[in-house]
Amino acid sequence: MKTHQVVTMEREEIKLVGFTIIESLNNVLESKIFGTLRENLAKQMDEIENRNGSGIYLIQIYPHEGQWTPDIPFQHVIAFEVTSYGEIPSGMITYIVPSGRFVKIIHTGAESQIGTTYDFINKSFGERPIDIEYWNDIHTLESDDGQIDIYIPAK
Protein backbone atom coordinates (compact mmCIF):
# COMPACT_ATOMS: atom_id res chain seq x y z
CA MET A 1 0.00 0.00 0.00
CA LYS A 2 1.30 3.44 -0.95
CA THR A 3 1.82 5.95 1.85
CA HIS A 4 1.51 9.67 1.28
CA GLN A 5 3.50 12.40 2.97
CA VAL A 6 1.02 15.10 4.13
CA VAL A 7 2.06 18.50 5.56
CA THR A 8 -0.08 21.56 6.37
CA MET A 9 1.56 24.90 5.58
CA GLU A 10 1.04 28.59 4.90
CA ARG A 11 1.79 29.73 1.34
CA GLU A 12 2.31 33.21 -0.02
CA GLU A 13 0.40 34.14 -3.16
CA ILE A 14 1.79 32.66 -6.35
CA LYS A 15 1.95 34.83 -9.47
CA LEU A 16 1.86 32.72 -12.63
CA VAL A 17 2.33 33.23 -16.37
CA GLY A 18 1.38 30.50 -18.82
CA PHE A 19 -1.48 28.88 -20.69
CA THR A 20 -5.07 28.12 -19.75
CA ILE A 21 -7.66 25.76 -21.18
CA ILE A 22 -11.19 24.83 -20.19
CA GLU A 23 -11.65 21.11 -20.65
CA SER A 24 -12.98 18.02 -18.87
CA LEU A 25 -10.57 15.68 -17.12
CA ASN A 26 -11.54 12.81 -19.44
CA ASN A 27 -10.78 14.91 -22.54
CA VAL A 28 -7.48 16.09 -21.03
CA LEU A 29 -6.41 12.50 -20.36
CA GLU A 30 -7.57 11.27 -23.78
CA SER A 31 -5.95 14.10 -25.76
CA LYS A 32 -2.77 14.26 -23.63
CA ILE A 33 -3.00 18.06 -23.97
CA PHE A 34 -0.94 18.68 -20.80
CA GLY A 35 2.10 17.10 -22.42
CA THR A 36 1.76 19.45 -25.39
CA LEU A 37 1.15 22.49 -23.17
CA ARG A 38 4.09 21.59 -20.90
CA GLU A 39 6.44 21.22 -23.87
CA ASN A 40 5.23 24.50 -25.44
CA LEU A 41 5.61 26.30 -22.12
CA ALA A 42 9.11 24.87 -21.60
CA LYS A 43 10.12 25.98 -25.12
CA GLN A 44 8.98 29.53 -24.31
CA MET A 45 10.35 29.72 -20.77
CA ASP A 46 13.02 32.28 -21.67
CA GLU A 47 10.30 34.62 -23.00
CA ILE A 48 8.67 34.86 -19.55
CA GLU A 49 10.04 37.89 -17.71
CA ASN A 50 10.89 37.59 -13.99
CA ARG A 51 10.47 33.79 -14.06
CA ASN A 52 11.15 32.23 -10.67
CA GLY A 53 12.80 28.86 -11.34
CA SER A 54 12.14 26.16 -13.91
CA GLY A 55 9.38 24.21 -12.12
CA ILE A 56 5.91 24.26 -13.67
CA TYR A 57 2.57 24.64 -11.90
CA LEU A 58 -0.72 23.04 -12.93
CA ILE A 59 -3.73 24.73 -11.34
CA GLN A 60 -7.10 22.98 -11.63
CA ILE A 61 -10.05 25.23 -10.76
CA TYR A 62 -13.22 23.20 -10.30
CA PRO A 63 -16.81 24.38 -10.86
CA HIS A 64 -18.37 25.81 -7.68
CA GLU A 65 -21.60 23.85 -8.04
CA GLY A 66 -20.02 20.89 -6.26
CA GLN A 67 -21.33 18.42 -8.83
CA TRP A 68 -18.02 17.84 -10.55
CA THR A 69 -17.44 14.70 -12.60
CA PRO A 70 -14.55 13.83 -14.96
CA ASP A 71 -16.84 14.79 -17.89
CA ILE A 72 -17.52 18.38 -16.74
CA PRO A 73 -15.20 21.02 -18.23
CA PHE A 74 -13.22 23.18 -15.81
CA GLN A 75 -10.27 25.58 -15.98
CA HIS A 76 -6.67 24.38 -16.06
CA VAL A 77 -3.71 26.76 -15.83
CA ILE A 78 -0.24 25.47 -16.68
CA ALA A 79 2.39 28.08 -15.91
CA PHE A 80 5.68 29.27 -14.48
CA GLU A 81 5.88 31.27 -11.27
CA VAL A 82 7.10 34.85 -11.65
CA THR A 83 8.31 37.30 -9.01
CA SER A 84 6.40 40.11 -10.76
CA TYR A 85 4.55 40.59 -14.02
CA GLY A 86 6.49 41.92 -16.98
CA GLU A 87 5.47 41.75 -20.61
CA ILE A 88 3.27 38.68 -21.11
CA PRO A 89 4.12 36.56 -24.18
CA SER A 90 1.45 36.34 -26.87
CA GLY A 91 -1.16 33.66 -26.16
CA MET A 92 -0.30 33.45 -22.46
CA ILE A 93 -2.28 34.60 -19.41
CA THR A 94 -1.59 35.65 -15.84
CA TYR A 95 -3.11 33.95 -12.82
CA ILE A 96 -2.71 34.48 -9.08
CA VAL A 97 -3.14 31.74 -6.49
CA PRO A 98 -4.08 33.63 -3.31
CA SER A 99 -2.05 33.17 -0.15
CA GLY A 100 -3.48 30.83 2.44
CA ARG A 101 -3.21 27.61 4.37
CA PHE A 102 -2.69 24.53 2.23
CA VAL A 103 -2.25 20.81 2.70
CA LYS A 104 0.74 19.52 0.72
CA ILE A 105 0.61 15.93 -0.47
CA ILE A 106 3.67 14.50 -2.20
CA HIS A 107 3.12 12.04 -5.05
CA THR A 108 6.21 9.90 -5.61
CA GLY A 109 6.45 7.83 -8.76
CA ALA A 110 5.34 8.16 -12.35
CA GLU A 111 2.81 10.87 -13.23
CA SER A 112 0.72 8.20 -14.97
CA GLN A 113 0.13 6.68 -11.50
CA ILE A 114 -1.07 9.94 -9.90
CA GLY A 115 -4.66 8.67 -9.89
CA THR A 116 -3.93 6.64 -6.76
CA THR A 117 -2.72 9.80 -5.01
CA TYR A 118 -5.89 11.65 -6.07
CA ASP A 119 -7.97 8.72 -4.82
CA PHE A 120 -6.27 9.23 -1.42
CA ILE A 121 -6.87 13.02 -1.58
CA ASN A 122 -10.55 12.63 -2.55
CA LYS A 123 -11.17 10.07 0.21
CA SER A 124 -9.26 12.04 2.85
CA PHE A 125 -10.21 15.63 2.01
CA GLY A 126 -13.37 15.51 -0.15
CA GLU A 127 -14.37 18.15 -2.69
CA ARG A 128 -12.31 21.32 -2.98
CA PRO A 129 -12.33 24.39 -5.23
CA ILE A 130 -8.78 24.01 -6.50
CA ASP A 131 -5.85 21.60 -6.83
CA ILE A 132 -2.31 22.86 -7.36
CA GLU A 133 0.36 20.55 -8.76
CA TYR A 134 4.01 21.53 -8.86
CA TRP A 135 6.31 19.70 -11.23
CA ASN A 136 9.92 20.46 -10.29
CA ASP A 137 11.31 18.71 -13.38
CA ILE A 138 8.99 17.80 -16.27
CA HIS A 139 11.66 15.48 -17.69
CA THR A 140 11.38 13.08 -14.71
CA LEU A 141 7.57 12.89 -14.55
CA GLU A 142 7.42 9.26 -15.67
CA SER A 143 10.34 8.00 -13.58
CA ASP A 144 9.73 5.83 -10.54
CA ASP A 145 11.45 8.38 -8.31
CA GLY A 146 9.71 11.39 -9.83
CA GLN A 147 7.92 13.74 -7.45
CA ILE A 148 4.85 15.94 -7.85
CA ASP A 149 3.84 18.24 -5.00
CA ILE A 150 0.07 18.69 -4.73
CA TYR A 151 -1.42 21.53 -2.69
CA ILE A 152 -5.07 21.74 -1.71
CA PRO A 153 -6.75 24.39 0.47
CA ALA A 154 -6.76 23.42 4.15
CA LYS A 155 -10.20 23.36 5.76
Side-chain angles (χ1 to χ4, degrees):
M1 178 175 184
K2 186 169 179 59
T3 60
H4 295 91
Q5 184 179 348
V6 178
V7 179
T8 301
M9 62 192 331
E10 294 291 329
R11 294 228 26 179
E12 298 296 319
E13 80 173 11
I14 307 168
K15 292 180 179 73
L16 300 168
V17 173
F19 299 114
T20 187
I21 60 170
I22 296 178
E23 194 57 81
S24 73
L25 180 60
N26 283 340
N27 284 347
V28 163
L29 294 173
E30 185 177 312
S31 69
K32 300 186 182 350
I33 187 72
F34 286 158
T36 302
L37 290 174
R38 268 195 305 251
E39 293 303 317
N40 290 343
L41 189 64
K43 286 177 191 168
Q44 291 183 265
M45 70 188 295
D46 292 334
E47 297 174 34
I48 298 174
E49 294 180 9
N50 308 313
R51 184 172 41 81
N52 186 11
S54 59
I56 295 177
Y57 281 90
L58 168 65
I59 315 298
Q60 301 175 108
I61 304 111
Y62 299 106
H64 297 292
E65 296 79 42
Q67 301 299 315
W68 182 83
T69 72
D71 293 313
I72 294 177
F74 61 98
Q75 184 179 9
H76 309 261
V77 176
I78 186 166
F80 284 110
E81 181 178 5
V82 295
T83 55
S84 62
Y85 292 122
E87 188 171 326
I88 308 304
S90 178
M92 291 192 189
I93 56 96
T94 62
Y95 186 84
I96 295 177
V97 176
S99 62
R101 192 163 177 77
F102 289 86
V103 175
K104 176 183 176 182
I105 300 99
I106 299 174
H107 169 78
T108 305
E111 181 191 26
S112 58
Q113 302 301 312
I114 202 167
T116 58
T117 300
Y118 274 103
D119 288 345
F120 165 78
I121 291 169
N122 292 335
K123 193 161 89 173
S124 301
F125 301 99
E127 289 185 9
R128 58 213 167 269
I130 188 171
D131 289 332
I132 303 165
E133 290 185 19
Y134 178 71
W135 307 319
N136 187 49
D137 182 352
I138 64 169
H139 303 292
T140 63
L141 288 175
E142 281 306 311
S143 70
D144 290 339
D145 60 350
Q147 177 177 313
I148 298 172
D149 298 340
I150 302 170
Y151 299 90
I152 61 171
K155 296 197 178 198

